[in-house]
Amino acid sequence: MTGPDVLASLRPRLPSPLQEVEDVRFARHGVRLLLKRDDLIHPELIGNKWRKLAPNLDAAAGRPIVTFGGAYSNHLRATAAAGRLLGLRTTGVVRGQELADRPLNPSLARCAADGMRLHFVDRSTYRAKAEPRTLAAILRAAHAEDAHVVPEGGSNAEAVRGCVPLGGELNGLADVVAVACGTGGTLAGLAAGLAPGQRALGIPVLKGGFLTAEIQTLQERAFGRRRGVWSLDDRFHFGGYARTTPELDAFAADFEQRHGLPVERLYVAKLLYGLVTLAEEGRLAPGTTLAAVITGRP
């Protein structure tokens, strides 16, 4: 069975450390940069994956877990690791039926090694996974009808509430708190936990401009209304999820060299690149203290 005591036995490092870094690209515009090191919460349930998964694991009450993701999903890997650590059965529904006949990539191989059963579905079925009839058919085919369902990216009302303490840990310590966004659950909870006068900024890593409505819906489900002051800047997805460019790779390598911080490419690099750009554009007022949430590591 899961529960607060069992989850506490995993010894998460909370609150996560807050690290100030000196970076001339911010300092010359009068901006102070802090790194909220959520990547140090737990060696396997890293960053926002801990914050979003922990309340869902508690809600599962020992039942098997079914969740969803693409072939390189950080969320699938974290769920598989949690299942191994807590002795829970996990099933990952993977986007792309064509992958079933191919060798597992390193990400899915890690999931399988941690005991996760992988169930591949075609992309049209995957897109319709939130529809009750489609979801029921997926669960039947995966032999997981008794499971607790966690949505893609772990973002549901429980996960959003689980991210509220992230904002609370930064009360009074930053004017702007920025985070990379995939499904939007972390930003939805973070913004709700911030104090009056603070604002949250999301940097989406997927293209499409759909996240504003998604985050609004998540907050309404979690709190009954929109909470906190938050906004998105959609310019830094670098072509979409799991896409990078030589420019982004060079930026991340330079940041690593400057600050001795390993920079995860799919989320964190895009966040940091976006923040440097905003500072250079003068979008952050002189005197601003900016906290960047480091949600993962390579």
Side-chain angles (χ1 to χ4, degrees):
M1 297 289 286
T2 57
D5 292 339
V6 175
L7 294 173
S9 74
L10 299 180
R11 297 181 180 177
R13 186 179 182 184
L14 294 170
S16 59
L18 191 62
Q19 171 189 353
E20 182 167 4
V21 296
E22 295 291 335
D23 192 309
V24 66
R25 296 169 293 185
F26 295 91
R28 67 178 169 227
H29 299 288
V31 176
R32 180 179 174 225
L33 178 63
L34 308 175
L35 303 180
K36 179 63 168 164
R37 297 295 304 275
D38 264 22
D39 58 312
L40 300 178
I41 286 178
H42 190 276
E44 296 187 77
L45 306 181
I46 297 168
N48 60 344
K49 301 310 175 192
W50 170 272
R51 296 188 189 272
K52 291 160 65 173
L53 267 177
N56 274 290
L57 293 168
D58 194 31
R63 286 182 291 155
I65 301 284
V66 167
T67 194
F68 303 82
Y72 292 92
S73 168
N74 293 326
H75 169 68
L76 285 183
R77 289 204 307 276
T79 304
R84 172 174 53 79
L85 292 167
L86 295 172
L88 293 174
R89 287 194 294 117
T90 60
T91 298
V93 179
V94 183
R95 180 178 61 246
Q97 180 63 49
E98 70 278 6
L99 301 175
D101 298 322
R102 299 178 187 173
L104 298 179
N105 67 33
S107 182
L108 293 178
R110 181 69 259 171
C111 292
D114 279 338
M116 174 175 274
R117 289 194 302 121
L118 300 175
H119 179 72
F120 298 89
V121 299
D122 65 81
R123 294 169 187 270
S124 61
T125 298
Y126 191 90
R127 284 193 295 271
K129 62 188 178 299
E131 298 174 5
R133 184 175 298 178
T134 302
L135 176 60
I138 291 172
L139 295 178
R140 282 196 303 273
H143 305 291
E145 294 167 281
D146 61 337
H148 177 75
V149 177
V150 179
E152 183 178 25
S155 289
N156 56 11
E158 288 85 2
V160 170
R161 289 190 286 267
C163 291
V164 172
L166 171 58
E169 291 171 22
L170 290 162
N171 278 185
L173 300 175
D175 304 299
V176 179
V177 181
V179 66
C181 299
T183 52
T186 302
L187 179 66
L190 160 66
L194 293 175
Q198 295 180 294
R199 66 181 177 93
L201 170 64
I203 303 294
V205 302
L206 291 81
K207 62 181 179 180
F210 58 87
L211 263 188
T212 296
E214 296 283 337
I215 294 167
Q216 177 106 12
T217 297
L218 284 168
Q219 288 199 325
E220 289 171 355
R221 289 174 179 169
F223 313 118
R225 59 184 177 85
R226 183 169 174 140
R227 289 273 300 273
V229 178
W230 54 270
S231 62
L232 301 174
D233 192 321
D234 288 300
R235 295 180 293 159
F236 306 109
H237 53 72
F238 285 84
Y241 183 69
R243 302 284 182 87
T244 63
T245 66
E247 180 186 10
L248 183 65
D249 286 334
F251 169 85
D254 176 69
F255 198 96
E256 290 174 334
Q257 185 173 16
R258 288 173 187 250
H259 303 299
L261 172 75
V263 176
E264 186 272 334
R265 297 304 199 259
L266 304 187
Y267 287 85
V268 177
K270 295 178 181 182
L271 167 69
L272 296 172
Y273 185 100
L275 296 180
V276 168
T277 301
L278 289 170
E280 298 285 5
E281 291 175 344
R283 303 285 186 95
L284 300 167
T288 295
T289 296
L290 169 67
V293 182
I294 308 301
T295 50
R297 59 175 181 261

